[in-house]
């Protein structure tokens, strides 16, 4: 059952024992970060969503860490486990011809489902219960200052909505926004992202402004979909609708030619001038380091609309693991079948928390021909935002990519550094502080698969050490006799 809005999700989290209401007054400057950081990194039973009911300087409650565990991320997308996402997408992508009438109707039903869940425009919505166009101000929002060296306060969990000025196609991205003053925000859409591309098109056609809306809240699938690296021109609200099994309802903005989720909590409307840049940052980023000040566009606010009693959703990023790791894990699980469509030898993939998404991708493959591990590396580097993967480690199909101990053991045993490491140059993440110049640098592929004649390997590859099933059964049976406990 799809959530209507953030409130229904909060109610579900509370019913599942996944939310703690904090009644003590807290400061949005640093204090909420320290509390949330302890909760996200502490023991699993303490890792809960937090609803701060009394935040200094604002009468709005603050919700944080709502996606911050595998369980809560699954609850957000209304699945039993994140792996179910991949299974659902795999069923949709199954292009094999239906064999009988039953299968034909099944396939037709799936495709009709997709047609039914596109976003729908409605006349009005709770996100416009209060409309401020004369003097819109960010002053009343409980926007966090996350880390001590941050340049200021940042909106961190937004759905940033823009349209390609030429094709009119929509993009929704989760890009942080720095508060410059009550009516202007820094727009941190990085070079490789959809919003930045819209801005580039606006610049090319000589448009003076590009309309932008920033929605805060809405149902959790809508919030999360902004972080999903969809191919350009694919509408994130369609993905959210497919995940919810119900269309996302949109209302027209009051001051810009855009639509926003009707059930959002707060909406900030405005425009970006493609010729304007201002210093944004530093900001304590999801790499665990501060991203330093860089020139970024500016969002000029033309209206703020909201519910009468809005809840302000936010997150903090920093040294992993944190809430964003789980948002990325949902992406990894959902997109695995899509990766397999292009690279069918891929069995599984893991982007561990320590690799902060783009630094480390571990992939297992079924190897059949010479150079296949390299083909997978190059294939991944050519797939959307995986172009930014700094290290790709390829292991055999029988290796559990989610078991980092096994991966480290296999990799270090199996590689000959001269033969198995590939270094290429190309685009790197905008947050990569080690690259010699911004956005461009070297990436590494490691082929840690076992080698044999098909790799031109002349020696004998040793077998894994595994006890015989017979002896295992014997020891199982006799275990109590040994008196070991
Ligand atoms: C909590 C969080 C914060 C993020 N902040 C930014 C950001 O400030 N700038 C950015 O370019 N990407 C940021 N991202 C990553 C983008 O949301 C992600 O790359 C997404 O695919 C972008 O959408 P797009 O492909 O439509 O541009 C963030 C992701 C998360 C989960």
């Amino acid at each position: 059952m799809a959530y209507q809005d953030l409130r229904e999700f909060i109610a579900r989290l509370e019913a599942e024992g996944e939310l703690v209401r904090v009644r003590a007054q807290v400061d949005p400057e640093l204090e909420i970060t320290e509390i949330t950081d302890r909760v996200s990194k502490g023991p699993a039973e303490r890792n809960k969503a937090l609803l701060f009911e009394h935040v200094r300087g604002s009468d709005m409650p603050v919700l944080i860490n709502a996606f911050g565990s595998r369980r809560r991320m699954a609850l957000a997308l209304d699945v039993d486990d994140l792996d179910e996402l991949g299974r659902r997408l795999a069923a949709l992508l199954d292009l094999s011809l239906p064999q009988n009438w039953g299968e034909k109707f099944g396939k037709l039903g799936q495709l009709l489902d997709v047609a039914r869940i596109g976003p729908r425009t409605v006349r009005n919505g709770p996100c416009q219960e209060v409309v401020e166009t004369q003097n819109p101000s960010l002053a009343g929002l409980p926007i966090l200052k996350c880390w001590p060296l941050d340049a200021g306060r940042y909106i961190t969990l937004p759905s940033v909505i823009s349209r390609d000025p030429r094709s009119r196609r929509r993009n929704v991205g989760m890009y942080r926004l720095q508060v410059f003053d009550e009516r202007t925000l820094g727009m941190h859409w990085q070079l490789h992202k959809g919003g930045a591309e819209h801005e580039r098109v606006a610049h090319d056609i000589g448009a003076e402004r590009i309309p932008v809306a920033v929605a805060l809240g809405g149902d959790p699938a809508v919030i999360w979909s902004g972080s999903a690296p969809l191919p350009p021109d694919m509408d994130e609200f369609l993905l959210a609708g497919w995940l919810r099994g119900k269309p996302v309802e949109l209302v027209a903005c009051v001051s810009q030619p855009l639509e926003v989720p009707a059930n959002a909590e707060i909406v900030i409307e405005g425009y970006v001038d493609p010729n304007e840049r201002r210093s944004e940052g530093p900001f304590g980023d999801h790499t665990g380091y501060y991203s330093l000040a860089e020139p970024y566009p500016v969002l000029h606010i033309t209206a703020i609309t909201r519910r009468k009693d809005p809840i302000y959703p936010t997150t903090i990023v920093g040294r992993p693991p944190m809430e964003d790791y789980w948002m990325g894990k949902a992406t990894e699980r959902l997109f695995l079948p899509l990766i397999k469509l292009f690279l069918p030898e891929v069995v599984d993939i893991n982007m561990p928390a320590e690799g902060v998404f783009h630094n480390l991708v571990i992939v297992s493959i079924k190897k059949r021909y010479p150079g296949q591990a390299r083909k997978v590396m190059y294939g991944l580097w050519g797939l959307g935002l995986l172009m930014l993967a700094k290290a790709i480690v390829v292991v055999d199909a029988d290796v559990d990519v989610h078991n980092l101990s096994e991966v480290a053991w296999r990799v270090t045993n199996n590689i000959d550094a001269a033969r198995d490491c590939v270094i290429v140059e190309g685009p790197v993440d905008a947050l990569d502080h080690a690259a010699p110049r911004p956005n461009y640098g070297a990436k590494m592929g490691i082929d840690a698969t076992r080698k044999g004649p098909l790799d031109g390997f002349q020696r004998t590859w040793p077998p894994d050490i595994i006890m015989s099933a017979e002896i295992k059964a014997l020891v199982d049976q006799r275990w109590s006799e040994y008196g070991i406990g």
Side-chain angles (χ1 to χ4, degrees):
M1 233 267 295
Y3 304 102
Q4 182 76 359
D5 54 22
L6 194 60
R7 285 133 203 267
E8 279 194 12
F9 180 46
I10 290 173
R12 174 87 186 270
L13 289 176
E14 200 157 24
E16 302 272 346
E18 286 287 339
L19 179 118
V20 173
R21 288 177 185 269
V22 180
R23 300 210 159 88
Q25 196 189 55
V26 292
D27 203 316
E29 288 218 1
L30 307 181
E31 190 179 358
I32 289 186
T33 302
E34 179 59 20
I35 300 166
T36 312
D37 194 33
R38 290 188 194 190
V39 165
S40 357
K41 295 192 173 68
E45 61 279 7
R46 202 171 72 185
N47 180 2
K48 304 284 179 200
L50 302 174
L51 187 66
F52 292 98
E53 295 184 331
H54 299 107
V55 180
R56 194 161 296 141
S58 174
D59 49 15
M60 299 179 196
V62 169
L63 177 71
I64 196 164
N65 208 26
F67 300 104
S69 71
R70 192 174 181 108
R71 168 124 183 83
R72 286 199 296 284
M73 194 60 241
L75 283 172
L77 302 182
D78 208 14
V79 286
D80 289 334
D81 182 75
L82 295 182
D83 282 326
E84 198 182 315
L85 296 170
R87 285 195 291 274
R88 275 185 64 192
L89 188 62
L92 190 68
L93 293 174
D94 180 6
L95 299 178
S96 56
L97 284 177
Q99 297 299 314
N100 54 44
W101 280 107
E103 283 184 20
K104 277 182 189 161
F105 279 121
K107 196 81 215 163
L108 192 66
Q110 278 175 8
L111 294 173
L112 285 177
D113 276 352
V114 174
R116 263 193 243 113
I117 42 73
R120 211 179 64 191
T121 308
V122 294
R123 289 167 73 88
N124 42 47
C127 74
Q128 292 176 346
E129 283 169 357
V130 177
V131 173
E132 182 53 79
T133 50
Q134 291 304 311
N135 189 24
S137 167
L138 298 167
L141 302 188
I143 304 173
L144 306 192
K145 178 178 176 185
C146 301
W147 295 102
L149 303 186
D150 283 2
R153 298 190 298 143
Y154 287 83
I155 295 173
T156 51
L157 201 69
S159 308
V160 177
I161 301 158
S162 58
R163 282 190 185 274
D164 183 311
R166 246 193 223 119
S167 69
R168 306 297 306 146
R169 284 189 196 266
R170 178 172 30 232
N171 183 70
V172 187
M174 184 169 283
Y175 318 121
R176 73 169 187 249
L177 299 123
Q178 181 186 340
V179 177
F180 288 147
D181 58 50
E182 282 178 21
R183 290 187 71 155
T184 40
L185 290 161
M187 170 58 76
H188 190 257
W189 52 40
Q190 295 158 358
L191 180 67
H192 309 109
K193 308 299 172 74
E197 174 59 12
H198 289 181
E199 193 203 355
R200 197 189 58 73
V201 175
H203 189 269
D204 282 1
I205 62 173
E208 284 175 7
R209 292 177 169 188
I210 167 162
V212 175
V214 177
L216 301 172
D219 81 84
V222 162
I223 300 178
W224 171 83
S225 69
S227 75
L230 291 188
D233 291 347
M234 249 190 93
D235 191 347
E236 281 79 2
F237 290 153
L238 178 68
L239 171 66
W242 177 73
L243 288 165
R244 312 170 71 228
K246 217 174 152 190
V248 176
E249 294 189 344
L250 302 174
V251 279
C253 285
V254 296
S255 67
Q256 298 295 335
L258 291 169
E259 300 81 37
V260 286
N263 292 310
E265 298 289 317
I266 303 163
V267 175
I268 301 165
E269 302 180 9
Y271 64 87
V272 163
D273 170 352
N275 294 306
E276 185 182 13
R277 288 287 181 277
R278 205 170 142 176
S279 173
E280 197 268 5
F283 174 72
D285 225 313
H286 81 108
T287 54
Y289 292 83
Y290 284 94
S291 46
L292 302 179
E294 303 248 15
Y296 269 92
V298 179
L299 175 69
H300 297 273
I301 300 174
T302 51
I304 296 183
T305 73
R306 60 176 177 83
R307 290 173 183 252
K308 283 196 204 101
D309 55 347
I311 298 169
Y312 177 81
T314 192
T315 188
I316 49 156
V317 294
R319 193 164 164 167
M322 278 195 164
E323 185 171 7
D324 63 316
Y325 167 64
W326 295 107
M327 298 173 75
K329 200 39 83 180
T331 301
E332 175 200 294
R333 296 291 92 197
L334 176 65
F335 285 95
L336 179 59
L338 215 53
I339 291 174
K340 288 184 180 184
L341 199 64
F342 295 102
L343 301 167
E345 59 276 77
V346 167
V347 175
D348 203 355
I349 203 158
N350 180 22
M351 299 167 82
E354 295 77 359
V356 303
F357 308 130
H358 53 264
N359 283 347
L360 180 57
V361 176
I362 304 163
V363 56
S364 56
I365 65 165
K366 279 196 198 110
K367 191 169 87 168
R368 172 162 80 72
Y369 51 79
Q372 201 163 358
R374 280 171 160 72
K375 174 251 189 178
V376 168
M377 295 168 197
Y378 300 134
L380 290 176
W381 279 321
L383 268 187
L385 284 182
L386 281 169
M387 68 173 149
L388 306 176
K390 188 142 95 166
I392 297 179
V393 176
V394 186
V395 293
D396 285 305
D398 58 343
V399 177
D400 177 4
V401 291
H402 304 285
N403 180 343
L404 296 185
S405 163
E406 179 179 1
V407 171
W409 166 62
R410 296 279 188 189
V411 171
T412 46
N413 261 306
N414 285 4
I415 59 160
D416 172 79
R419 183 194 56 209
D420 296 326
C421 296
V422 177
I423 294 187
V424 297
E425 286 185 22
V428 295
D429 196 273
L431 300 184
D432 187 330
H433 57 254
R437 64 185 167 101
N439 303 311
Y440 185 85
K443 299 178 273 197
M444 187 177 204
I446 301 176
D447 173 4
T449 57
R450 65 175 67 84
K451 308 298 179 309
L454 86 115
D455 305 289
F457 186 71
Q458 302 299 337
R459 300 173 62 200
T460 305
W461 196 266
D464 282 9
I465 302 173
I466 300 172
M467 182 48 70
S468 67
E470 222 180 358
I471 295 298
K472 280 184 172 221
L474 173 94
V475 171
D476 279 349
Q477 197 193 345
R478 295 199 54 204
W479 190 257
S480 57
E481 286 177 48
Y482 307 138
I484 298 171

